[in-house]
Amino acid sequence: MAEQSTEHLDPAEARPERLRVFLVDDHAMFRAGVRAELGAHVEVVGEASTVAEAVTRIAAVGPDVVLLDVHMPDGGGRAVLEAMRRTHPQVKFLALSVSDAAEDVIGLIRAGARGYVTKTISPDELAAAIRRVADGDAVFSPRLAGFVLDAFAARPDAPVADPELDQLTNREREVLRLLARGYAYKEIAKELFISIKTVETHVSNVLRKLQMSNRYELSRWAADRRLV
């Protein structure tokens, strides 16, 4: 009896299974954009804007990969990772953030993320990064890989700690980083999806906490800590 030919398989059977992806970000417009851009590549099975929502919904849907923002008002990506990694070790996490600061990258990787890319990544590159993370690879935006290698090679067991930096909230750090790069208040507001008045409040808080008087002192302080 002749063997059955395998040359005429249904194209749908030959395509790889679509990965199930969950989005965690506190900006609804950004989540909508990512969902639209990734729609042809993956199945977006859910989204959340807070740590509590993320923990509950990820547990319920069991995605392959979670795209995770670093900074959110109620704790951010690290809090989600710490809540999920013991109970759902099969779920892979890929950080997707506006921040490219060394302490953010290292902190998320120490907490269990499999990769870290910035929000400047293209849709095709993001889809490829998700696939690689799902396959077990580690993925980083080019500039960020060096932070991780340096941190783990030099002090593999040491936490990243800075008493002065620890005074600042996650949002204050984001504002400080952009301010130190020369962004105007209006540009910071647009980048972080907040009002100019909120930017001014964050800058005032940072100046007070660090006991500085102007943005130039803040810029030097941020550069010394590789936050820029």
Side-chain angles (χ1 to χ4, degrees):
M1 184 176 180
E3 293 184 3
Q4 185 176 356
S5 172
T6 59
E7 295 180 1
H8 303 291
L9 293 175
D10 184 335
E13 295 178 3
R15 288 196 294 267
E17 183 180 352
R18 282 158 62 91
L19 289 171
R20 303 173 71 251
V21 174
F22 192 96
L23 310 178
V24 181
D25 193 288
D26 60 329
H27 296 121
M29 289 180 60
F30 180 77
R31 295 197 310 272
V34 172
R35 181 185 283 272
E37 290 172 346
L38 291 180
H41 303 281
V42 303
E43 180 185 0
V44 178
V45 296
E47 57 185 67
S49 61
T50 68
V51 171
E53 285 179 352
V55 171
T56 300
R57 295 176 184 175
I58 292 169
V61 302
D64 299 307
V65 177
V66 175
L67 289 182
L68 189 64
D69 193 14
V70 176
H71 298 309
M72 295 187 294
D74 61 339
R78 187 163 186 168
V80 176
L81 278 162
E82 290 172 348
M84 299 299 299
R85 62 183 177 182
R86 290 192 180 92
T87 57
H88 295 75
Q90 76 282 4
V91 178
K92 306 290 197 310
F93 290 84
L94 173 61
L96 176 62
S97 177
V98 68
S99 170
D100 60 0
E103 78 274 9
D104 287 335
V105 178
I106 296 164
L108 265 289
I109 298 306
R110 288 194 189 280
R114 291 295 303 169
Y116 193 118
V117 295
T118 61
K119 290 181 177 179
T120 57
I121 193 170
S122 73
D124 287 343
E125 290 172 333
L126 180 57
I130 291 169
R131 173 66 62 181
R132 289 180 59 194
V133 165
D135 289 341
D137 292 339
V139 180
F140 300 94
S141 294
R143 179 172 178 268
L144 309 184
F147 295 155
V148 179
L149 292 174
D150 290 347
F152 282 83
R155 301 179 66 194
D157 299 318
V160 179
D162 183 326
E164 287 187 304
L165 189 62
D166 288 345
Q167 299 179 74
L168 307 182
T169 66
N170 289 332
R171 183 63 85 193
E172 287 168 353
R173 295 184 194 188
E174 288 183 321
V175 170
L176 170 60
R177 191 173 299 115
L178 294 175
L179 191 72
R181 290 177 180 174
Y183 282 55
Y185 285 5
K186 182 177 180 180
E187 293 170 323
I188 296 173
K190 182 178 179 181
E191 183 77 13
L192 299 181
F193 300 94
I194 57 180
S195 70
I196 295 175
K197 182 65 176 177
T198 300
V199 173
E200 293 172 347
T201 299
H202 286 313
V203 172
S204 296
N205 289 340
V206 172
L207 287 168
R208 174 177 52 78
K209 290 179 180 180
L210 298 180
Q211 298 182 350
M212 296 180 186
S213 58
N214 58 62
R215 66 179 297 166
Y216 304 106
E217 290 181 354
L218 288 178
S219 295
R220 288 196 298 271
W221 185 90
D224 288 344
R225 285 160 175 77
R226 299 178 64 184
L227 300 182
V228 182

